[in-house]
């Protein structure tokens, strides 16, 4: 079963998670469940019955503030599982949306080629995550980008946590003997949201969690 055909599951955009965690860390060591954020406007040259300046306040949990910031920057956060570029293009094709089909593929290509870590380098580690679906638990595959010679790169499988039904190795077809971009099929068919790219021991691309 390919990654882009798995049922949707509820997810949180990692950018929203990062915003939330950053706000929570404003109080070192705090328990997130006990935190709240208060934004106060103090009106100058005004006083109340208590002799203090008039104030307007907003109070809410870190998550609420993070969601407001995220929406202002990126639009409302998506809670459904993102689709792979190929799945988006196929959906547009079924709707006879030629512009949408081309846009899905072109946008994915631009996102890949404009990534600060692109192109891949020999020694890069690529992790592919498969979300749980039906009777299948979550599992994954780990690949190594190798030097195939003549300026080309390969993609070799290092490890996997396949279900038993995949023990014959038929479950994945992302091995590459030599290509300019060995993760091209992974990027378009599985989707960048399911990929993690590690370079020199550091993650340089982390898909949705």
């Amino acid at each position: 079963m390919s990654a882009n055909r798995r049922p949707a599951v509820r997810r949180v955009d990692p950018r929203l998670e990062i915003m939330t965690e950053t706000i929570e860390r404003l109080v070192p060591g705090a328990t997130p469940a006990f935190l709240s954020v208060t934004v106060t406007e103090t009106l100058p040259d005004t006083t109340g019955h208590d002799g203090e300046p008039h104030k307007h306040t907003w109070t809410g949990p870190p998550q609420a503030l993070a969601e407001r910031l995220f929406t202002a920057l990126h639009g409302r956060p998506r809670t459904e599982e993102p689709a792979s570029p190929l799945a988006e293009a196929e959906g547009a094709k079924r709707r006879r949306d030629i512009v949408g089909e081309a846009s899905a593929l072109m946008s994915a290509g631009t996102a890949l080629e404009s990534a600060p870590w692109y192109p891949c380098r020999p020694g890069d580690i690529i992790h592919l995550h498969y979300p749980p679906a039906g009777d299948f638990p979550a599992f994954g595959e780990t690949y190594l980008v190798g030097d195939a010679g003549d300026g080309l790169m390969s993609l070799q499988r290092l490890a996997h946590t396949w279900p038993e039904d995949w023990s014959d190795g038929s479950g994945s077809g992302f091995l590459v003997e030599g290509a300019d971009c060995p993760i091209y099929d992974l990027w378009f068919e599985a989707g960048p949201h399911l990929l993690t790219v590690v370079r020199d021991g550091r993650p340089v691309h982390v898909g949705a969690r």
Side-chain angles (χ1 to χ4, degrees), residues 167-180:
S167 59
D168 62 353
S170 62
S172 176
F174 294 115
L175 303 180
V176 177
E177 293 185 1
D180 293 328

Side-chain angles (χ1 to χ4, degrees), residues 2-6 78 81-91 104-105 108 174 185-194:
S2 63
N4 59 323
R5 292 178 183 172
R6 295 186 168 275
R78 298 176 61 177
E81 171 72 17
S84 71
L86 184 59
E88 289 185 352
E90 289 177 345
L105 298 175
F174 294 115
D185 287 346
L186 272 171
W187 187 268
F188 279 83
E189 293 186 28
H193 62 292
L194 296 181

Side-chain angles (χ1 to χ4, degrees), residues 7 12 16 39 61 98 143 153 166 171 188 192 206:
V12 177
L16 178 58
V39 180
I98 298 177
Y143 294 86
M153 289 173 283
W166 281 27
F188 279 83
V206 179

Side-chain angles (χ1 to χ4, degrees), residues 90-168:
E90 289 177 345
K93 185 177 182 178
R94 287 192 296 270
R95 298 190 302 270
R96 299 183 179 180
D97 179 2
I98 298 177
V99 174
E101 180 182 0
S103 176
L105 298 175
M106 291 178 63
S107 296
T110 299
L112 174 60
E113 295 176 6
S114 63
W117 48 268
Y118 181 87
C120 290
R121 300 176 188 171
D124 285 354
I125 300 294
I126 315 297
H127 298 281
L128 169 59
H129 167 72
Y130 290 84
D135 295 333
F136 286 101
F139 60 97
E141 298 173 337
T142 302
Y143 294 86
L144 171 67
V145 176
D147 185 349
D150 297 325
L152 303 179
M153 289 173 283
S154 63
L155 196 63
Q156 309 156 29
R157 188 185 298 113
L158 293 180
H160 63 80
T161 55
W162 294 333
E164 292 183 2
D165 291 349
W166 281 27
S167 59
D168 62 353

